[in-house]
Coordinates of all heavy atoms in Angstrom, one line a residue:
M971 N 64.7 -192.3 -61.6 CA 64.0 -193.6 -61.6 C 62.6 -193.4 -61.3 O 62.1 -192.6 -60.6 CB 64.7 -194.4 -60.5 CG 64.3 -195.8 -60.5 SD 65.4 -196.8 -59.5 CE 65.5 -198.2 -60.5
D972 N 61.8 -194.2 -62.0 CA 60.3 -194.1 -61.9 C 59.8 -194.6 -60.6 O 60.3 -195.6 -60.0 CB 59.6 -194.9 -63.0 CG 59.9 -194.3 -64.4 OD1 60.2 -193.1 -64.5 OD2 59.7 -195.1 -65.3
K973 N 58.8 -193.9 -60.0 CA 58.2 -194.3 -58.8 C 57.1 -195.2 -59.1 O 56.4 -195.1 -60.1 CB 57.8 -193.1 -58.0 CG 58.9 -192.2 -57.5 CD 58.3 -191.0 -56.8 CE 59.4 -190.1 -56.3 NZ 58.9 -189.0 -55.6
K974 N 56.8 -196.2 -58.2 CA 55.7 -197.0 -58.4 C 54.4 -196.3 -58.0 O 54.4 -195.5 -57.1 CB 55.8 -198.2 -57.4 CG 54.7 -199.2 -57.6 CD 54.9 -200.5 -56.8 CE 53.8 -201.4 -57.0 NZ 53.9 -202.6 -56.3
V975 N 53.4 -196.4 -58.9 CA 52.2 -195.7 -58.7 C 51.1 -196.7 -58.2 O 50.9 -197.8 -58.8 CB 51.7 -195.1 -60.0 CG1 50.4 -194.3 -59.9 CG2 52.8 -194.1 -60.5
D976 N 50.4 -196.3 -57.1 CA 49.4 -197.2 -56.6 C 48.1 -197.1 -57.3 O 47.3 -198.1 -57.3 CB 49.1 -196.8 -55.1 CG 50.3 -197.1 -54.2 OD1 51.1 -198.0 -54.6 OD2 50.5 -196.4 -53.2
K977 N 47.8 -196.1 -58.0 CA 46.5 -196.0 -58.7 C 46.8 -195.8 -60.2 O 47.8 -195.3 -60.6 CB 45.7 -194.8 -58.2 CG 46.3 -193.5 -58.3 CD 45.4 -192.4 -57.7 CE 46.1 -191.0 -57.9 NZ 45.2 -190.0 -57.5
P978 N 45.8 -196.2 -61.1 CA 46.0 -196.0 -62.5 C 46.0 -194.5 -62.9 O 45.5 -193.7 -62.1 CB 44.8 -196.8 -63.1 CG 43.8 -196.8 -62.0 CD 44.6 -196.8 -60.7
A979 N 46.5 -194.2 -64.1 CA 46.5 -192.9 -64.6 C 45.0 -192.4 -64.7 O 44.1 -193.2 -64.9 CB 47.2 -192.8 -65.9
E980 N 44.8 -191.1 -64.6 CA 43.5 -190.6 -64.7 C 42.8 -191.0 -66.0 O 43.4 -190.9 -67.1 CB 43.6 -189.0 -64.6 CG 42.2 -188.4 -64.5 CD 42.3 -186.9 -64.3 OE1 43.2 -186.5 -63.6 OE2 41.5 -186.2 -64.9
G981 N 41.6 -191.4 -65.9 CA 40.9 -191.9 -67.1 C 41.1 -193.3 -67.4 O 40.5 -193.9 -68.3
K982 N 42.0 -194.0 -66.7 CA 42.2 -195.4 -67.0 C 41.6 -196.3 -65.9 O 41.5 -195.9 -64.8 CB 43.8 -195.7 -67.0 CG 44.6 -194.9 -68.0 CD 44.6 -195.6 -69.3 CE 45.5 -194.8 -70.2 NZ 45.8 -195.5 -71.4
R983 N 41.1 -197.4 -66.3 CA 40.5 -198.4 -65.4 C 41.5 -199.5 -65.2 O 42.0 -200.0 -66.1 CB 39.2 -198.9 -65.9 CG 38.1 -197.9 -66.1 CD 36.9 -198.5 -66.6 NE 37.1 -199.2 -67.9 CZ 36.2 -199.9 -68.5 NH1 35.1 -200.1 -68.0 NH2 36.5 -200.5 -69.7
P984 N 41.6 -200.0 -63.9 CA 42.4 -201.2 -63.7 C 41.7 -202.4 -64.3 O 40.5 -202.5 -64.3 CB 42.5 -201.3 -62.2 CG 41.4 -200.5 -61.7 CD 41.1 -199.4 -62.7
A985 N 42.5 -203.3 -64.8 CA 41.9 -204.5 -65.4 C 41.3 -205.4 -64.3 O 41.9 -205.5 -63.2 CB 43.0 -205.3 -66.2
A986 N 40.2 -206.0 -64.5 CA 39.6 -206.8 -63.5 C 40.4 -208.1 -63.4 O 40.8 -208.7 -64.4 CB 38.2 -207.2 -63.9
A987 N 40.7 -208.5 -62.2 CA 41.6 -209.6 -61.9 C 41.1 -210.9 -62.5 O 41.8 -211.7 -63.0 CB 41.9 -209.8 -60.4
N988 N 39.8 -211.2 -62.3 CA 39.2 -212.5 -62.7 C 38.3 -212.3 -64.0 O 37.6 -213.2 -64.2 CB 38.4 -213.1 -61.6 CG 39.2 -213.4 -60.4 OD1 40.4 -213.7 -60.5 ND2 38.7 -213.3 -59.2
A989 N 38.4 -211.3 -64.7 CA 37.6 -211.1 -65.9 C 38.1 -212.0 -67.0 O 39.3 -212.1 -67.2 CB 37.7 -209.6 -66.3
P990 N 37.2 -212.7 -67.7 CA 37.6 -213.5 -68.8 C 38.1 -212.7 -69.9 O 37.7 -211.5 -70.2 CB 36.3 -214.2 -69.2 CG 35.2 -213.4 -68.7 CD 35.7 -212.7 -67.5
A991 N 39.1 -213.2 -70.7 CA 39.7 -212.5 -71.8 C 38.7 -212.4 -72.9 O 38.0 -213.4 -73.3 CB 40.9 -213.2 -72.2
K992 N 38.5 -211.2 -73.4 CA 37.6 -211.0 -74.6 C 38.2 -211.5 -75.8 O 39.4 -211.2 -76.1 CB 37.3 -209.5 -74.7 CG 36.3 -209.1 -75.7 CD 36.0 -207.6 -75.7 CE 35.1 -207.3 -76.8 NZ 34.9 -205.8 -76.9
P993 N 37.5 -212.3 -76.6 CA 38.2 -212.8 -77.8 C 38.5 -211.7 -78.8 O 37.7 -210.7 -78.9 CB 37.1 -213.8 -78.4 CG 35.9 -213.5 -77.7 CD 36.2 -212.8 -76.4
R994 N 39.6 -211.8 -79.5 CA 40.0 -210.8 -80.4 C 39.3 -211.0 -81.8 O 39.2 -212.2 -82.2 CB 41.5 -210.8 -80.6 CG 42.2 -210.2 -79.4 CD 43.7 -210.1 -79.8 NE 44.4 -209.4 -78.7 CZ 45.5 -209.9 -78.1 NH1 46.0 -211.0 -78.5 NH2 46.0 -209.2 -77.2
S995 N 39.0 -209.9 -82.5 CA 38.5 -210.1 -83.9 C 39.7 -210.5 -84.8 O 40.9 -210.4 -84.4 CB 38.0 -208.8 -84.4 OG 39.0 -207.8 -84.5
A996 N 39.4 -211.0 -85.9 CA 40.4 -211.4 -86.9 C 41.4 -210.2 -87.2 O 42.6 -210.4 -87.3 CB 39.8 -212.0 -88.2
S997 N 40.8 -209.0 -87.4 CA 41.7 -207.9 -87.8 C 42.5 -207.5 -86.6 O 43.7 -207.2 -86.7 CB 40.8 -206.7 -88.2 OG 40.0 -206.3 -87.2
A998 N 42.0 -207.6 -85.4 CA 42.8 -207.2 -84.2 C 44.0 -208.2 -84.0 O 45.1 -207.9 -83.6 CB 41.9 -207.2 -82.9
E999 N 43.7 -209.5 -84.3 CA 44.7 -210.5 -84.2 C 45.8 -210.3 -85.3 O 47.0 -210.4 -85.0 CB 44.1 -211.9 -84.4 CG 45.1 -213.1 -84.2 CD 45.7 -213.1 -82.8 OE1 45.1 -212.6 -81.8 OE2 46.8 -213.5 -82.7
R1000 N 45.4 -209.9 -86.5 CA 46.4 -209.6 -87.5 C 47.3 -208.4 -87.1 O 48.5 -208.4 -87.3 CB 45.7 -209.2 -88.9 CG 45.3 -210.4 -89.7 CD 45.0 -210.0 -91.1 NE 44.0 -208.9 -91.2 CZ 42.7 -209.1 -91.2 NH1 42.2 -210.3 -91.1 NH2 41.9 -208.0 -91.3
V1001 N 46.7 -207.4 -86.5 CA 47.4 -206.2 -86.0 C 48.4 -206.6 -84.9 O 49.6 -206.2 -84.9 CB 46.5 -205.1 -85.5 CG1 47.2 -204.0 -84.8 CG2 45.7 -204.5 -86.7
R1002 N 47.9 -207.5 -84.0 CA 48.8 -208.0 -82.9 C 50.0 -208.7 -83.5 O 51.1 -208.5 -83.1 CB 48.0 -208.9 -82.0 CG 48.8 -209.3 -80.7 CD 48.2 -210.4 -80.0 NE 48.2 -211.6 -80.8 CZ 49.2 -212.4 -81.0 NH1 50.4 -212.1 -80.6 NH2 49.1 -213.5 -81.8
R1003 N 49.7 -209.6 -84.4 CA 50.9 -210.4 -85.0 C 51.8 -209.5 -85.8 O 53.0 -209.6 -85.7 CB 50.3 -211.5 -86.0 CG 49.7 -212.7 -85.3 CD 49.5 -213.8 -86.2 NE 48.8 -213.5 -87.5 CZ 47.5 -213.6 -87.8 NH1 46.7 -214.0 -86.8 NH2 47.1 -213.2 -88.9
H1004 N 51.3 -208.5 -86.5 CA 52.2 -207.5 -87.2 C 53.0 -206.8 -86.2 O 54.2 -206.6 -86.4 CB 51.3 -206.6 -88.0 CG 52.1 -205.5 -88.7 ND1 52.9 -205.7 -89.8 CD2 52.2 -204.2 -88.4 CE1 53.5 -204.6 -90.1 NE2 53.0 -203.6 -89.3
R1005 N 52.4 -206.3 -85.1 CA 53.2 -205.5 -84.1 C 54.3 -206.4 -83.5 O 55.4 -205.9 -83.2 CB 52.3 -205.0 -83.1 CG 51.4 -203.8 -83.6 CD 50.5 -203.2 -82.6 NE 49.8 -202.1 -83.1 CZ 48.7 -201.6 -82.6 NH1 48.2 -202.2 -81.5 NH2 48.1 -200.6 -83.2
E1006 N 53.9 -207.6 -83.2 CA 54.9 -208.5 -82.6 C 56.1 -208.8 -83.6 O 57.2 -208.8 -83.2 CB 54.3 -209.9 -82.2 CG 53.3 -209.8 -81.0 CD 54.0 -209.3 -79.8 OE1 55.2 -209.7 -79.5 OE2 53.4 -208.5 -79.1
K1007 N 55.8 -208.9 -84.8 CA 56.8 -209.1 -85.9 C 57.7 -207.9 -85.9 O 58.9 -208.0 -86.0 CB 56.1 -209.3 -87.2 CG 57.1 -209.5 -88.4 CD 56.3 -209.7 -89.7 CE 57.1 -209.6 -90.9 NZ 56.3 -209.6 -92.1
M1008 N 57.1 -206.7 -85.9 CA 57.9 -205.5 -86.0 C 58.8 -205.3 -84.7 O 59.9 -204.9 -84.8 CB 57.0 -204.2 -86.1 CG 56.2 -204.2 -87.4 SD 57.2 -204.0 -88.8 CE 57.1 -205.6 -89.6
K1009 N 58.2 -205.7 -83.5 CA 59.0 -205.6 -82.3 C 60.2 -206.6 -82.4 O 61.3 -206.3 -81.9 CB 58.1 -205.9 -81.1 CG 57.2 -204.8 -80.7 CD 56.3 -205.2 -79.5 CE 55.3 -204.2 -79.3 NZ 54.4 -204.6 -78.1
A1010 N 59.9 -207.8 -82.9 CA 61.0 -208.8 -83.1 C 62.1 -208.3 -84.0 O 63.3 -208.7 -83.8 CB 60.4 -210.1 -83.6
M1011 N 61.8 -207.4 -84.9 CA 62.8 -206.8 -85.8 C 63.5 -205.6 -85.1 O 64.3 -205.0 -85.7 CB 62.1 -206.4 -87.1 CG 61.6 -207.5 -87.9 SD 60.6 -207.0 -89.3 CE 61.5 -205.8 -90.1
G1012 N 63.1 -205.3 -83.9 CA 63.7 -204.2 -83.2 C 63.1 -202.9 -83.5 O 63.7 -201.8 -83.2
L1013 N 61.9 -202.9 -84.1 CA 61.2 -201.6 -84.4 C 60.3 -201.2 -83.3 O 59.7 -202.1 -82.6 CB 60.5 -201.7 -85.7 CG 61.4 -202.1 -86.9 CD1 60.6 -202.3 -88.2 CD2 62.5 -201.0 -87.1
K1014 N 60.0 -200.0 -83.2 CA 59.1 -199.5 -82.1 C 57.9 -198.7 -82.8 O 58.2 -197.9 -83.7 CB 59.8 -198.5 -81.2 CG 59.0 -198.0 -80.1 CD 59.9 -197.1 -79.2 CE 59.0 -196.5 -78.1 NZ 59.8 -195.7 -77.2
P1015 N 56.7 -199.0 -82.5 CA 55.6 -198.3 -83.1 C 55.6 -196.8 -82.7 O 55.8 -196.5 -81.5 CB 54.3 -199.0 -82.6 CG 54.8 -199.7 -81.4 CD 56.2 -200.0 -81.5
V1016 N 55.3 -196.0 -83.7 CA 55.2 -194.5 -83.4 C 54.0 -194.0 -84.1 O 53.7 -194.4 -85.2 CB 56.5 -193.8 -84.0 CG1 56.4 -192.3 -83.9 CG2 57.8 -194.3 -83.4
T1017 N 53.3 -193.1 -83.4 CA 52.1 -192.5 -84.0 C 52.5 -191.1 -84.3 O 53.0 -190.3 -83.5 CB 50.9 -192.5 -83.0 OG1 50.6 -193.8 -82.6 CG2 49.7 -191.8 -83.6
I1018 N 52.2 -190.7 -85.6 CA 52.4 -189.3 -86.0 C 51.1 -188.7 -86.2 O 50.2 -189.1 -87.0 CB 53.2 -189.3 -87.3 CG1 54.6 -190.0 -87.1 CG2 53.4 -187.9 -87.9 CD1 55.4 -190.2 -88.4
W1019 N 50.9 -187.6 -85.5 CA 49.6 -186.9 -85.6 C 49.7 -185.8 -86.7 O 50.7 -185.0 -86.7 CB 49.2 -186.2 -84.3 CG 48.8 -187.3 -83.3 CD1 49.7 -188.0 -82.5 CD2 47.5 -187.8 -83.1 NE1 48.9 -188.9 -81.7 CE2 47.6 -188.8 -82.1 CE3 46.3 -187.5 -83.6 CZ2 46.5 -189.5 -81.6 CZ3 45.2 -188.2 -83.1 CH2 45.3 -189.1 -82.1
V1020 N 48.8 -185.7 -87.6 CA 48.8 -184.7 -88.6 C 47.5 -183.9 -88.5 O 46.4 -184.6 -88.3 CB 48.9 -185.4 -90.0 CG1 48.8 -184.3 -91.1 CG2 50.2 -186.2 -90.1
P1021 N 47.5 -182.6 -88.6 CA 46.2 -181.9 -88.5 C 45.3 -182.2 -89.6 O 45.7 -182.6 -90.7 CB 46.6 -180.4 -88.5 CG 48.0 -180.4 -89.1 CD 48.6 -181.7 -88.8
E1022 N 44.0 -182.1 -89.4 CA 43.0 -182.3 -90.4 C 43.1 -181.4 -91.5 O 42.7 -181.7 -92.7 CB 41.6 -182.3 -89.8 CG 41.3 -183.4 -88.8 CD 39.9 -183.3 -88.2 OE1 39.1 -182.6 -88.8 OE2 39.6 -183.9 -87.2
N1023 N 43.6 -180.2 -91.3 CA 43.6 -179.2 -92.4 C 44.9 -179.1 -93.1 O 45.4 -178.0 -93.5 CB 43.2 -177.8 -91.8 CG 44.3 -177.3 -90.7 OD1 45.1 -178.1 -90.3 ND2 44.2 -176.1 -90.4
Y1024 N 45.6 -180.2 -93.3 CA 46.9 -180.2 -93.9 C 46.9 -179.8 -95.3 O 48.0 -179.5 -95.9 CB 47.6 -181.6 -93.8 CG 46.9 -182.7 -94.6 CD1 47.3 -183.0 -95.9 CD2 45.9 -183.4 -94.1 CE1 46.8 -183.9 -96.6 CE2 45.2 -184.4 -94.8 CZ 45.7 -184.7 -96.1 OH 45.1 -185.6 -96.9
K1025 N 45.8 -179.6 -95.9 CA 45.7 -179.1 -97.3 C 45.4 -177.6 -97.4 O 45.3 -177.1 -98.4 CB 44.6 -179.9 -98.1 CG 45.0 -181.4 -98.3 CD 44.0 -182.1 -99.2 CE 44.4 -183.5 -99.5 NZ 43.5 -184.2 -100.3
S1026 N 45.2 -177.0 -96.2 CA 44.9 -175.6 -96.2 C 46.0 -174.7 -96.6 O 47.2 -175.1 -96.5 CB 44.4 -175.2 -94.8 OG 45.5 -175.1 -94.0
P1027 N 45.8 -173.6 -97.2 CA 46.9 -172.7 -97.6 C 47.8 -172.3 -96.5 O 49.0 -172.1 -96.6 CB 46.1 -171.5 -98.2 CG 44.8 -172.0 -98.6 CD 44.5 -173.1 -97.6
E1028 N 47.2 -172.1 -95.3 CA 48.0 -171.7 -94.1 C 49.0 -172.8 -93.7 O 50.1 -172.5 -93.4 CB 47.1 -171.4 -92.9 CG 46.2 -170.2 -93.1 CD 44.9 -170.5 -93.9 OE1 44.6 -171.7 -94.1 OE2 44.2 -169.5 -94.3
W1029 N 48.5 -174.0 -93.7 CA 49.3 -175.2 -93.4 C 50.5 -175.3 -94.4 O 51.6 -175.5 -94.0 CB 48.5 -176.4 -93.3 CG 49.3 -177.7 -93.1 CD1 49.6 -178.6 -94.0 CD2 50.0 -178.1 -91.9 NE1 50.4 -179.6 -93.5 CE2 50.6 -179.3 -92.2 CE3 50.0 -177.6 -90.6 CZ2 51.3 -180.0 -91.2 CZ3 50.7 -178.3 -89.7 CH2 51.4 -179.5 -90.0
K1030 N 50.1 -175.2 -95.7 CA 51.2 -175.3 -96.7 C 52.2 -174.2 -96.6 O 53.4 -174.4 -96.8 CB 50.5 -175.3 -98.1 CG 49.7 -176.6 -98.4 CD 49.1 -176.5 -99.8 CE 48.3 -177.8 -100.1 NZ 47.7 -177.7 -101.4
A1031 N 51.7 -173.0 -96.3 CA 52.6 -171.9 -96.1 C 53.6 -172.1 -94.9 O 54.8 -171.8 -95.0 CB 51.9 -170.6 -95.9
E1032 N 53.1 -172.6 -93.9 CA 53.9 -172.9 -92.7 C 54.9 -174.0 -93.0 O 56.1 -173.9 -92.6 CB 53.0 -173.3 -91.5 CG 53.8 -173.6 -90.2 CD 54.7 -172.5 -89.7 OE1 54.5 -171.3 -90.1 OE2 55.6 -172.8 -88.9
M1033 N 54.5 -175.0 -93.7 CA 55.5 -176.1 -94.1 C 56.6 -175.5 -95.0 O 57.7 -175.9 -94.9 CB 54.8 -177.3 -94.7 CG 53.9 -178.1 -93.8 SD 54.8 -178.8 -92.4 CE 54.4 -177.6 -91.1
R1034 N 56.1 -174.7 -95.9 CA 57.1 -174.1 -96.8 C 58.1 -173.2 -96.1 O 59.3 -173.3 -96.3 CB 56.4 -173.2 -97.9 CG 57.2 -172.7 -99.0 CD 56.4 -172.0 -100.1 NE 55.4 -172.8 -100.7 CZ 54.1 -172.8 -100.5 NH1 53.6 -171.9 -99.6 NH2 53.3 -173.6 -101.1
R1035 N 57.6 -172.5 -95.1 CA 58.4 -171.6 -94.3 C 59.5 -172.4 -93.5 O 60.6 -172.1 -93.5 CB 57.6 -170.8 -93.3 CG 58.4 -169.8 -92.5 CD 57.5 -169.2 -91.4 NE 57.2 -170.1 -90.3 CZ 58.1 -170.4 -89.3 NH1 59.3 -169.8 -89.3 NH2 57.8 -171.2 -88.4
Q1036 N 59.0 -173.5 -92.9 CA 59.9 -174.4 -92.1 C 60.9 -175.1 -93.0 O 62.1 -175.2 -92.6 CB 59.1 -175.4 -91.3 CG 58.3 -174.8 -90.2 CD 57.6 -175.8 -89.3 OE1 58.0 -176.9 -89.2 NE2 56.6 -175.3 -88.6
C1037 N 60.5 -175.5 -94.2 CA 61.5 -176.1 -95.1 C 62.5 -175.1 -95.5 O 63.7 -175.5 -95.6 CB 60.7 -176.7 -96.3 SG 59.8 -178.2 -95.9
Q1038 N 62.1 -173.9 -95.8 CA 63.1 -172.9 -96.2 C 64.1 -172.5 -95.1 O 65.2 -172.2 -95.3 CB 62.4 -171.6 -96.7 CG 61.7 -171.8 -98.0 CD 60.8 -170.7 -98.4 OE1 60.4 -169.8 -97.6 NE2 60.3 -170.7 -99.6
L1039 N 63.6 -172.6 -93.8 CA 64.5 -172.4 -92.7 C 65.7 -173.4 -92.6 O 66.8 -173.0 -92.3 CB 63.8 -172.5 -91.4 CG 62.9 -171.3 -91.0 CD1 62.1 -171.6 -89.8 CD2 63.7 -170.0 -90.8
I1040 N 65.4 -174.6 -93.0 CA 66.5 -175.6 -92.9 C 67.2 -175.9 -94.3 O 68.1 -176.7 -94.3 CB 66.0 -176.9 -92.3 CG1 64.9 -177.6 -93.2 CG2 65.5 -176.7 -90.9 CD1 64.5 -179.0 -92.7
A1041 N 66.7 -175.3 -95.3 CA 67.2 -175.6 -96.7 C 68.7 -175.5 -96.8 O 69.3 -176.4 -97.4 CB 66.5 -174.8 -97.7
N1042 N 69.3 -174.5 -96.2 CA 70.7 -174.3 -96.4 C 71.5 -174.5 -95.0 O 72.6 -174.0 -94.9 CB 71.0 -172.9 -97.0 CG 70.4 -172.8 -98.4 OD1 70.6 -173.7 -99.2 ND2 69.8 -171.7 -98.7
D1043 N 70.8 -175.1 -94.1 CA 71.4 -175.3 -92.8 C 72.5 -176.4 -92.9 O 72.3 -177.4 -93.4 CB 70.4 -175.7 -91.8 CG 70.9 -175.9 -90.4 OD1 71.4 -177.0 -90.1 OD2 70.9 -174.9 -89.6
P1044 N 73.7 -176.1 -92.4 CA 74.9 -177.0 -92.6 C 74.6 -178.4 -91.9 O 74.9 -179.4 -92.4 CB 76.0 -176.3 -91.9 CG 75.6 -174.9 -91.7 CD 74.2 -174.8 -91.8
H1045 N 73.9 -178.3 -90.7 CA 73.6 -179.6 -90.0 C 72.6 -180.4 -90.8 O 72.7 -181.6 -90.9 CB 73.0 -179.3 -88.6 CG 74.0 -178.6 -87.7 ND1 75.1 -179.2 -87.2 CD2 74.0 -177.4 -87.2 CE1 75.8 -178.4 -86.5 NE2 75.1 -177.3 -86.4
E1046 N 71.6 -179.8 -91.4 CA 70.7 -180.5 -92.3 C 71.4 -181.1 -93.5 O 71.1 -182.3 -93.8 CB 69.6 -179.5 -92.7 CG 68.5 -180.2 -93.6 CD 67.6 -181.1 -92.9 OE1 67.6 -181.2 -91.6 OE2 66.9 -181.8 -93.5
Q1047 N 72.3 -180.4 -94.1 CA 73.0 -180.9 -95.2 C 73.9 -182.1 -94.8 O 74.0 -183.1 -95.5 CB 73.9 -179.8 -95.8 CG 73.2 -178.6 -96.4 CD 72.1 -179.0 -97.4 OE1 72.4 -179.8 -98.3 NE2 71.0 -178.5 -97.3
Q1048 N 74.5 -182.1 -93.6 CA 75.3 -183.2 -93.1 C 74.4 -184.4 -92.9 O 74.7 -185.5 -93.3 CB 75.9 -182.8 -91.8 CG 76.7 -183.9 -91.2 CD 77.3 -183.6 -89.8 OE1 77.1 -182.5 -89.3 NE2 78.0 -184.5 -89.2
I1049 N 73.2 -184.2 -92.3 CA 72.3 -185.3 -92.1 C 71.8 -185.9 -93.4 O 71.8 -187.2 -93.5 CB 71.1 -184.8 -91.3 CG1 71.5 -184.5 -89.8 CG2 69.9 -185.9 -91.2 CD1 70.5 -183.7 -89.0
L1050 N 71.5 -185.1 -94.4 CA 71.0 -185.6 -95.7 C 72.2 -186.4 -96.3 O 71.9 -187.4 -97.0 CB 70.6 -184.5 -96.5 CG 69.2 -183.8 -96.1 CD1 68.9 -182.6 -97.0 CD2 68.1 -184.8 -96.1
A1051 N 73.4 -185.9 -96.2 CA 74.6 -186.6 -96.8 C 74.7 -188.0 -96.2 O 75.0 -189.0 -96.8 CB 75.8 -185.8 -96.7
E1052 N 74.6 -188.1 -94.8 CA 74.7 -189.3 -94.1 C 73.6 -190.3 -94.5 O 73.9 -191.5 -94.7 CB 74.7 -189.1 -92.6 CG 75.9 -188.4 -92.1 CD 75.8 -188.2 -90.6 OE1 74.9 -188.7 -89.9 OE2 76.7 -187.4 -90.1
I1053 N 72.4 -189.8 -94.7 CA 71.3 -190.7 -95.1 C 71.6 -191.2 -96.5 O 71.4 -192.4 -96.8 CB 70.0 -189.9 -95.1 CG1 69.6 -189.6 -93.6 CG2 68.9 -190.7 -95.8 CD1 68.4 -188.7 -93.5
E1054 N 72.1 -190.4 -97.4 CA 72.4 -190.8 -98.8 C 73.5 -191.9 -98.7 O 73.5 -192.9 -99.5 CB 72.9 -189.7 -99.6 CG 71.7 -188.8 -100.1 CD 72.2 -187.6 -100.9 OE1 73.3 -187.6 -101.4 OE2 71.4 -186.7 -101.1
D1055 N 74.5 -191.8 -97.8 CA 75.6 -192.8 -97.7 C 75.0 -194.1 -97.2 O 75.5 -195.1 -97.6 CB 76.6 -192.3 -96.7 CG 77.5 -191.2 -97.3 OD1 77.5 -191.0 -98.5 OD2 78.2 -190.4 -96.5
W1056 N 74.0 -194.0 -96.3 CA 73.5 -195.3 -95.7 C 72.5 -196.0 -96.7 O 72.3 -197.1 -96.6 CB 72.7 -195.0 -94.4 CG 73.5 -194.4 -93.3 CD1 74.9 -194.5 -93.1 CD2 73.1 -193.6 -92.3 NE1 75.3 -193.9 -92.0 CE2 74.2 -193.2 -91.5 CE3 71.8 -193.0 -91.9 CZ2 74.1 -192.4 -90.3 CZ3 71.7 -192.2 -90.8 CH2 72.8 -191.9 -90.0
F1057 N 71.9 -195.2 -97.6 CA 70.9 -195.7 -98.4 C 71.4 -196.8 -99.3 O 72.4 -196.7 -99.9 CB 70.3 -194.6 -99.3 CG 69.3 -195.1 -100.3 CD1 68.1 -195.6 -99.9 CD2 69.5 -195.0 -101.7 CE1 67.1 -196.0 -100.7 CE2 68.5 -195.5 -102.6 CZ 67.3 -195.9 -102.1
D1058 N 70.7 -197.9 -99.3 CA 71.0 -199.1 -100.1 C 69.8 -199.4 -101.0 O 68.8 -200.0 -100.5 CB 71.4 -200.3 -99.3 CG 71.7 -201.5 -100.1 OD1 71.9 -201.4 -101.3 OD2 71.8 -202.6 -99.5
P1059 N 69.8 -199.0 -102.3 CA 68.6 -199.2 -103.1 C 68.4 -200.6 -103.6 O 67.3 -200.9 -104.2 CB 68.9 -198.3 -104.3 CG 70.3 -198.2 -104.4 CD 70.8 -198.3 -103.0
E1060 N 69.3 -201.5 -103.3 CA 69.1 -202.9 -103.8 C 67.9 -203.5 -103.2 O 67.7 -203.5 -102.0 CB 70.4 -203.7 -103.4 CG 70.4 -205.1 -104.0 CD 71.7 -205.9 -103.6 OE1 72.7 -205.2 -103.6 OE2 71.6 -207.1 -103.4
G1061 N 67.1 -204.1 -104.0 CA 65.9 -204.8 -103.6 C 64.6 -203.9 -103.6 O 63.5 -204.3 -103.3
W1062 N 64.8 -202.6 -103.8 CA 63.7 -201.6 -103.8 C 63.1 -201.6 -105.2 O 63.8 -201.7 -106.2 CB 64.1 -200.2 -103.4 CG 64.3 -200.1 -101.9 CD1 65.3 -200.7 -101.2 CD2 63.5 -199.4 -101.0 NE1 65.2 -200.4 -99.9 CE2 64.1 -199.5 -99.8 CE3 62.4 -198.6 -101.2 CZ2 63.5 -199.0 -98.6 CZ3 61.9 -198.0 -100.1 CH2 62.5 -198.2 -98.8
K1063 N 61.8 -201.4 -105.3 CA 61.2 -201.3 -106.6 C 60.8 -199.9 -106.9 O 60.6 -199.1 -106.1 CB 60.0 -202.2 -106.7 CG 60.3 -203.6 -106.6 CD 59.0 -204.4 -106.7 CE 59.4 -205.9 -106.6 NZ 58.2 -206.7 -106.7

């Protein structure tokens, strides 16, 4: 169970209790509405970090190596078969 923390995480500032709310820009408001819509659909935002050098020969070689490792893995084949069973192309363009 999580313990209650008395101080904010390092690098974080506590919000001022009586500070007026800063108005959001139009784009920030659109993002907020989009995130609320996704949350209402039961989705959770996830950030995927990709290295800046994803086009480098070393990166491509490493991705190729990792793909070859799982290419004939029985568990990977089972997962792919399940995804194909779940896939419903109706409505996709």
Side-chain angles (χ1 to χ4, degrees):
M971 188 164 220
D972 292 338
K973 294 180 182 179
K974 185 175 180 179
V975 178
D976 293 332
K977 61 181 182 175
E980 189 175 320
K982 302 272 183 170
R983 298 182 298 175
N988 296 331
K992 183 178 176 182
R994 289 190 172 124
S995 68
S997 61
E999 187 59 29
R1000 277 195 308 273
V1001 169
R1002 186 196 63 75
R1003 285 194 312 264
H1004 174 73
R1005 288 180 178 162
E1006 290 301 320
K1007 179 181 166 187
M1008 295 295 110
K1009 286 179 187 178
M1011 293 170 51
L1013 300 175
K1014 181 178 180 179
V1016 176
T1017 302
I1018 299 174
W1019 289 88
V1020 179
E1022 290 181 18
N1023 64 345
Y1024 68 93
K1025 292 184 178 181
S1026 74
E1028 295 83 11
W1029 173 256
K1030 290 179 181 181
E1032 178 61 16
M1033 291 301 100
R1034 189 175 299 106
R1035 185 188 73 79
Q1036 290 185 24
C1037 288
Q1038 288 171 346
L1039 284 174
I1040 64 170
N1042 296 316
D1043 183 271
H1045 295 293
E1046 180 70 11
Q1047 298 303 316
Q1048 178 185 0
I1049 291 168
L1050 291 174
E1052 288 177 10
I1053 290 172
E1054 286 181 15
D1055 288 343
W1056 299 333
F1057 177 64
D1058 180 10
E1060 188 174 325
W1062 284 68
K1063 294 181 180 181

